[in-house]
Each structure stands twice: as C-alpha cells, then as structure tokens.
Amino acid sequence: MRGWIERTVRTDVQARTAYAVADPGTAIRLNQMENPFGWPADLWRACMESLSGAEINRYPDAAGRELIAAIRAHDDLDDAWGVMLGNGSDEIIQPLIQAICDGARPVMAPAPSFVMFEVIAGQCRVPYVGVDLNRDFSLDADGLIAAMQRHNPALLFLAQPNNPTGNLYDEADLRRVIEACPGLVIIDEAYGPFSSRNHQSWLGQYPNLLVMRTFSKMGLAGLRCGYLVGDVAWIEQINKVRLPYNLGVLNQAVARFALTEGRAVLAQQSAALRVGRDQLFDALSARGLRVHPSEANFMLLEVDQPSAVNASIAAQGVLIKDLSKAHPMLARCLRVSIGTDAENAAFLAALDVALKAQR
Ligand SMILES: Cc1ncc(COP(=O)(O)O)c(C=O)c1O
C-alpha cells in the first residue's frame, strides 16, 4: 500500500499535513472566531417547522435562488450584482483560483493574513506571494504595489478586517492598491458583522473588484454558507468552476430562515460580541498587556512566552490560538475570539494564572 501511495499521490500532497482541528471536548472554545450564542428555543422550533417537507430526496437548487434572494434582502444588494454561493467562504477561494490563475501569475496577499489563501493556491499549484504588513499591521501599500509590479499577480486577496491582526487598512492605501493591481482583487469581509466599514459600495467603482462574505462569524459557522458578490459578468465566469449542488437542501433552507426570521437575533448577537470585544480589550489593556485594536470578533494580545501561556490556558480548559510560529511579526502573539461574558471571564482568569506562573 505504502509503495502505491508514494508512486501515485502527488509528491507535494504527500508533503502536506491535513487541516487538523483537535477535538475541543468540553473546553471553552475561543480559538475559531465562532459566535458562542445559540438560538432561543422558539426560534429553533420555528426553524424546525419550516424544514418539514424539505425535499431531501431531490438535489438542491444548484443556483440557490431563494437563498440568494434572502442574501440580497439581508445585505441590501440590488439585482445588478451577481452572487455565487459557497460551502463556507473557504470553498469559494478554490473556484476563484481555478478560474483566474493559469499557474504562471501568482496569488498575492499581505502577510500575515488568512492562511487558506496560501494553502489553496498551493493545492492548485499556483505560486503564492505574501507581502509583509508594516510592524503596526497597517498595509505597506508602496511595498505591495512594488511587489505587484514585480510579480504581476492574477489574484489579490485583502481580508478586511484582516485575520489574524483584526484591523482595517487605511482606506486610501486600500484604494491605491486596488487601482494598481493588474489582476482581480477580492476583499474578504468575513468579519464584516463586527466592522465599522464595508466595501459593497466600492464594487461599482473598480472593474477588478469582488467582495467575499460569509455568515460563519455572525453565527452560522456550522451551516457553511459563504458568498461572492460582484459584477454578473465576473460571477458568471467563476461560477463555471464551482461544483454544482455545493450547498445542500437543508443548509440552504436553514440559512434562508436565519437571514429572515432569525435576522434580529443574529444582529443582537453580533452587537453583543462587539460590546464584549471592547470590554475584553479594556480588561487586557488594564493588565498592562499590548493588545491590538480589533474590528473583528477576536483580538491579538502579546505576551512574553506565548506558547507556554497558551499551554497553561488550554490546561485550564480554555482554547485560544497560539500564533507565535505563524509569522515572525506574530512571535509574541496569541489570538482570542470573543465569547460570552462568562467565557471571556474564564479566559481572563486562566490568563492571569498563566502570567503569574511566568513571573
Ligand atoms: C479572513 C477569513 N476569510 C474566510 C474565512 C472562512 O470562513 P468560512 O469558510 O467559515 O466562511 C475565515 C475563517 O476563519 C477568515 O478568517
């Protein structure tokens, strides 16, 4: 068997490690930027009732018409813009790269940024170039523009707010970069529900811009529902390489219900997370720690021995993310998602114990 695998599986795939997520058990999960709140019982009941009779014997609507109509209403998107659905926005990165990149011109993104841009480019055998942010995590627009002139990217991903840094880039820098990009630019607004800026109105201003969104962070991570918005002519091309039926009947139906009947609850939950974020920022700053202001539902904090601190916090039953090995600029960084008030308090208590043990 081993010989067969070595002879037949692509060598670059053999060299990869699968995306692994450890079983969280009963730990408090502040490591994946999830919304920690469930739904009220009456909303769940109404959702279940709405699913009765769902035609799971049939293939789903491949075009996702009803869900897209709900997305348009939710985001106030008029029919001039095309929308393509993905099984999470993760999944959309792949058809984007497949449709745009021929393998010669690279995918580019600032660094550090969302890891899946690089991972999926690698899986598609497309070169990837990351261009470092400035030390304060602002966009090095001149550096990125110079790198784009050198590398001629086919695709540029700009996560706004950025993961893992949590910030928005200066608007004028962002505009300069989009204008200078010789390829297609994707603004990834995964953390849009927590951000003070969105870029929907920019779509009409740049012929090479699309916006990617997801409902994961605002409370539907388990549904896997992301989408790409932009000129219908762009969406038409990228849609050609999307797998048909990528969102199941139940996913589409629950997402549609959530965006309509559940809309107010989801909006309240995002608002509560924004408040929790500001409180957590203050609590961490009050401990004398360097904390990076965030427009997302997570934040970065700096500590002296991040891996040891992370291990201690995990041993106390709270999962956060140690990013100290992810990029040299993150050498002191831990990322914590915003949880419920009780979860945030548990995290702070565990952090205090971990920091005390260091002294
Ligand atoms: C910037 C960014 N984009 C996209 C995603 C993917 O989200 P999903 O696949 O859940 O829609 C994430 C997830 O963490 C992210 O941080």
Side-chain angles (χ1 to χ4, degrees):
M1 174 74 91
R2 181 130 294 282
W4 270 101
I5 288 172
E6 280 165 9
R7 283 196 304 278
T8 51
V9 177
R10 263 169 45 180
T11 48
D12 61 303
V13 172
Q14 290 186 48
R16 281 176 188 278
T17 41
Y19 189 89
V21 181
D23 178 358
T26 56
I28 293 173
R29 292 155 65 161
L30 300 181
N31 55 340
Q32 296 195 115
M33 291 84 92
E34 295 156 329
N35 170 340
F37 305 113
W39 281 8
D42 55 341
L43 190 62
W44 252 125
R45 228 177 350 264
C47 181
M48 289 308 185
E49 276 162 25
S50 79
L51 293 180
S52 130
E55 291 194 299
I56 55 171
N57 53 315
R58 304 274 181 204
Y59 282 105
D61 174 9
R65 291 175 191 83
E66 291 187 358
L67 176 53
I68 288 179
I71 290 172
R72 286 190 190 286
H74 184 271
D75 287 8
D76 204 13
L77 264 178
D78 68 50
D79 291 347
W81 302 113
V83 178
M84 187 187 99
L85 297 176
N87 198 276
S89 55
D90 262 358
E91 194 200 42
I92 295 173
I93 299 169
Q94 186 168 322
L96 270 169
I97 294 178
Q98 286 173 330
I100 303 294
C101 302
D102 60 8
R105 296 169 66 193
V107 170
M108 287 179 73
S113 190
F114 182 44
V115 289
M116 294 310 283
F117 304 145
E118 181 169 4
V119 169
I120 297 173
Q123 288 171 355
C124 295
R125 290 181 155 165
V126 170
Y128 179 86
V129 180
V131 178
D132 280 357
L133 295 170
N134 292 314
R135 301 291 314 171
D136 63 356
F137 300 146
S138 61
L139 191 64
D140 177 5
D142 291 332
L144 183 51
I145 290 169
M148 288 196 297
Q149 283 162 355
R150 271 199 312 280
H151 296 285
N152 190 23
L155 202 49
L156 173 70
F157 285 100
L158 298 163
Q160 284 294 273
N162 187 38
N163 173 18
T165 55
N167 58 322
L168 289 172
Y169 304 137
D170 174 78
E171 190 175 322
D173 284 344
L174 203 56
R175 288 186 181 277
R176 272 203 304 134
V177 164
I178 296 168
E179 279 158 21
C181 183
L184 176 62
V185 180
I186 310 298
I187 297 190
D188 175 354
E189 294 189 334
Y191 301 95
F194 314 101
S195 168
S196 59
R197 194 173 78 210
N198 82 58
H199 304 84
Q200 194 159 303
S201 64
W202 293 26
L203 283 173
Q205 299 168 22
Y206 301 102
N208 61 335
L209 178 68
L210 302 179
V211 170
M212 187 168 80
R213 291 184 175 156
T214 176
F215 292 117
S216 290
K217 309 302 173 181
M218 75 177 210
L220 305 175
L223 276 187
R224 312 304 296 128
C225 178
Y227 54 105
L228 186 67
V229 183
D231 194 286
V232 285
W234 275 116
I235 299 295
E236 196 181 31
Q237 296 301 323
I238 295 148
N239 211 17
K240 292 179 189 171
V241 289
R242 173 180 66 93
L243 285 179
Y245 313 122
N246 57 336
L247 249 82
V249 168
L250 296 179
N251 290 29
Q252 291 194 32
V254 179
R256 189 162 50 85
F257 178 90
L259 295 184
T260 51
E261 314 301 312
R263 181 173 180 165
V265 167
L266 291 173
Q268 277 159 15
Q269 293 179 344
S270 291
L273 290 172
R274 290 194 297 268
V275 172
R277 171 187 69 196
D278 297 343
Q279 288 168 344
L280 191 59
F281 181 89
D282 290 344
L284 290 167
S285 305
R287 285 162 168 77
L289 296 168
R290 179 158 189 222
V291 197
H292 293 271
S294 167
E295 296 258 358
N297 64 339
F298 61 85
M299 70 186 66
L300 279 187
L301 63 141
E302 298 196 18
V303 294
D304 281 341
Q305 293 173 46
S307 297
V309 171
N310 177 56
S312 165
I313 292 172
Q316 296 174 71
V318 182
L319 302 180
I320 62 167
K321 182 90 175 169
D322 174 12
L323 289 171
S324 59
K325 313 275 185 311
H327 186 278
M329 246 184 256
L330 303 174
R332 291 172 47 80
C333 289
L334 297 172
R335 186 187 65 201
V336 58
S337 314
I338 313 306
T340 62
D341 288 348
E343 289 173 338
N344 297 340
F347 159 67
L348 287 169
L351 176 68
D352 288 342
V353 170
L355 293 177
K356 205 164 160 199
Q358 268 194 341
R359 284 191 212 114

